[in-house]
Structure formats: structure tokens, C-alpha cells
Amino acid sequence: MSTIKCIGILTSGGDAPGMNAAIRAVTRSAIYNGMSVKGIYRGYKGLITGEIQEFKTQNVSNIIQRGGTILKTARCMEFKTPQGREQAYNKLIEEEIDALVVIGGDGTLTGARIFAQEFNYPIVGLPGTIDNDLFGTDVTIGYDTALNTIMECVDKIRDTATSHDRLFFIEVMGRDAGFLALNGAIASGAEAAIIPETSLEKDQLAEMIENGFRKSKNSSIVLVAESEITGGAMGIAERTKKEYPQFDVRVTILGHLQRGGSPCAQDRILATRMGVAAIDALLDDQRNVMIGTQNDQIVYVPFSKAIKNDKPINKELLNTLRVSSI
Ligand code: F6P
């Protein structure tokens, strides 16, 4: 029998489409299992300052289709300090919250891991980030919606690139991971992707141009993953202008529009499954794990594994892009 009577739920770090679907599923599953729920606003910041409200099923009505997070989010520096975490713990005791479900990316789970260890406090994490960079789960909540957004944007840029015979470098998010760039390139029929995972191995720009990537085409689109390692789209474009002046180069940085919008069906389903699984995990006495999916099955991934390992890029996809874009 679980001793958990009340759970707290928060979203932290960069928002991702599908976070609301996850909040809805966690809340309803907890209530279904006889627990009460408290929504904590603005991530760890709201936990420290006590921005907390009791959630009933109707608090999460009509949100599955909404982007962003109704709980708001923040990146909290105070939670990185022992004093900040102690304040957060005291607030949890005062509010009689017995366990936490946190939804977010790498930074969120790193904070959760330290806190859980320091106070021996039960936390379950849900991977909510468009970057898809958490180890132990095939996909993260928000990733597929962001990919679809990228695909739609690239389709539009393709029209003008073709009309002018231009070479476009389109920068996408992902922090230091290239999942959005690589799969975004495959989905939108881009000519190449420049990603951090292979930046140190080879000169992707030179390889792309020397392979004659424009042999059969006039316009070209290259997706560039943001990251100091790739140099970003601006860096790559500057280099191209100097070294390959034959190209008429333009840059588009997609930026935060990749984080917005209504979540696609896949993200709504993933978030709902993971939200229900988070409560199942707590009932099952699981502690300090992230919910993941592997081969479409729910798995529990210890925080230490989820955040410490660099999730590898599937190398087969590099070949898929190369072959399909000749
Ligand atoms: O982690 C999600 C993400 O969107 C990254 O892809 C990006 O580098 C970062 O957050 C941007 O953060 P902010 O919204 O704080 O500028």
C-alpha cells in the first residue's frame, strides 16, 4: 500500500507542446487512484515561494490541445543552491505534499535528482523537451510537434529558395543535440543537416559541397543545429560566403516558434501515457526515475542514467538523409 496521499506537479525549464496533456493525465490519474493533487506554478521557483494551488479534475479540463504549460515554467537559479532546495523542502512539508511529479528536460531532472537524494524524497520525472536529448527514452514530449513545425516552415522556405535559386541555412533548436536538425531535414527533404554529434569527426560543410550536393538542383536547404559546436547557421553562412562565393546564401533562424503550437496526436498520446505511468510508478514504490518509452513500452529510467549519458544519434539516419537527398 502506498503512503502517498497528495502529489505535487510542476513544469520546469523550456516549455514543450504536450506538457498540458501530461499535467492533465497526472492530475486525473492521481485523483482516480484516491490521491489529491497540488499544482505548483513556475517550476522550482514556485515551489520555493509557495505558488501552489489544489487541482481538481476540472482544473485540467480543455487543456489537452493547448501548447505551452498552464502551470507556467521558469529556469530557477535558487534551486541550484542548498538553501533554495531546503526552502523548497520545507514548503513541501508545510503543504503536506508527499511526492512530486516534475515535467521538463535535462536541467529539471538534474535538479530533481539532487533534491531527491538530499531529502530522500520521492520524485518521478516526465521527459518534456523538444530537444529529445534524454537518454533511456525513444522520444520526449514535444519533440514530434516541434519536428512538424520545422517541417512546415522548411516547406515554406523551399518555395522562395527555389524561386531564387538560393542556398538556405535554417537553424533549428536542440541545444547540443541534433535530433531536430537531422530528422527535420529528412522530413522536409532538405539537402543536408549539420549537427553537433558529427561536427568534431568531419567538416560537414566541406563534405556536403565537395560531394556536389547541387549537381542536380539549383536551390538547396541545409538544416543547422544550434550549438557552439556547429557554429550555428550564421557561422556556417559566413564561412560559405568566404569559401564558396558562388552561392547566393540566406539564413533563417526558426527560434522559439519551434516550442509553440497545439501538440500533435503523437505528443498528446505520449504525454497521456507517461502521465498515467508516473502515478503507476509512485503506487509501485518507484522513486527517482524518469518515465520513458522504448519500443512503444513504458520504462522506468533512473535519473542518473537519463541525464548523464549523451543520447546517441542513430547513424543510419545520416545515411538515409545522404541517399535520399541526391
Ligand atoms: O531545451 C529547450 C530549448 O528550446 C533549447 O532547444 C534551446 O536551446 C533553449 O531551450 C532555449 O532556451 P530559452 O527559451 O531559455 O532561451
Side-chain angles (χ1 to χ4, degrees), residues 14-15 75 129-131 133 173-175 180 226 256 259:
D15 60 314
R75 300 192 194 276
T129 167
I130 64 164
D131 299 342
D133 59 348
M173 282 187 166
R175 208 175 286 274
L180 287 170
E226 67 169 2
H256 286 80
R259 289 229 298 255

Side-chain angles (χ1 to χ4, degrees), residues 7-11 16-33 35-40 55-71 101 103 126 141 263-265 267-279:
I7 62 138
I9 176 167
L10 61 82
T11 49
M19 279 185 163
N20 283 328
I23 295 167
R24 172 180 175 271
V26 170
T27 301
R28 293 200 167 162
S29 175
I31 292 171
Y32 178 86
N33 285 289
M35 302 171 185
S36 60
V37 179
K38 291 192 176 176
I40 301 160
F55 265 27
K56 302 286 185 198
T57 52
Q58 54 274 26
N59 289 94
V60 294
S61 292
N62 205 11
I63 64 168
I64 196 169
Q65 76 282 16
R66 283 169 58 187
T69 159
I70 60 158
L71 281 176
V101 177
I103 308 169
L126 296 189
I141 298 166
C264 64
D267 276 328
R268 296 183 196 195
I269 296 165
L270 181 73
T272 304
R273 284 181 72 192
M274 287 181 160
V276 170
I279 298 302

Side-chain angles (χ1 to χ4, degrees), residues 10-172:
L10 61 82
T11 49
S12 164
D15 60 314
M19 279 185 163
N20 283 328
I23 295 167
R24 172 180 175 271
V26 170
T27 301
R28 293 200 167 162
S29 175
I31 292 171
Y32 178 86
N33 285 289
M35 302 171 185
S36 60
V37 179
K38 291 192 176 176
I40 301 160
Y41 287 87
R42 296 185 173 78
Y44 295 125
K45 197 166 167 220
L47 180 55
I48 292 171
T49 56
E51 264 195 273
I52 299 171
Q53 184 200 338
E54 171 129 26
F55 265 27
K56 302 286 185 198
T57 52
Q58 54 274 26
N59 289 94
V60 294
S61 292
N62 205 11
I63 64 168
I64 196 169
Q65 76 282 16
R66 283 169 58 187
T69 159
I70 60 158
L71 281 176
K72 313 252 179 187
T73 187
R75 300 192 194 276
C76 178
M77 296 314 285
E78 269 166 290
F79 198 71
K80 294 190 175 169
T81 67
Q83 297 85 334
R85 289 193 294 275
E86 197 174 338
Q87 277 176 281
Y89 179 71
N90 291 338
K91 196 53 81 180
L92 287 169
I93 300 298
E94 189 187 316
E95 291 279 342
E96 298 184 355
I97 298 173
D98 307 312
L100 272 181
V101 177
V102 302
I103 308 169
D106 195 67
T108 305
L109 299 187
T110 303
R113 183 185 178 215
I114 298 169
F115 186 84
Q117 274 177 347
E118 264 175 3
F119 298 98
N120 190 22
Y121 190 88
I123 309 186
V124 169
L126 296 189
T129 167
I130 64 164
D131 299 342
N132 197 33
D133 59 348
L134 291 166
F135 189 87
T137 186
D138 290 342
V139 275
T140 56
I141 298 166
Y143 170 62
D144 194 55
T145 305
L147 262 184
N148 278 286
T149 301
I150 291 169
M151 186 182 73
E152 283 166 27
C153 292
V154 177
D155 287 351
K156 289 192 164 70
I157 293 171
R158 173 77 68 188
D159 293 340
T160 177
T162 308
S163 303
H164 286 266
D165 290 341
R166 278 176 173 156
L167 167 56
F168 265 84
F169 291 107
I170 303 178
E171 183 174 297
V172 300

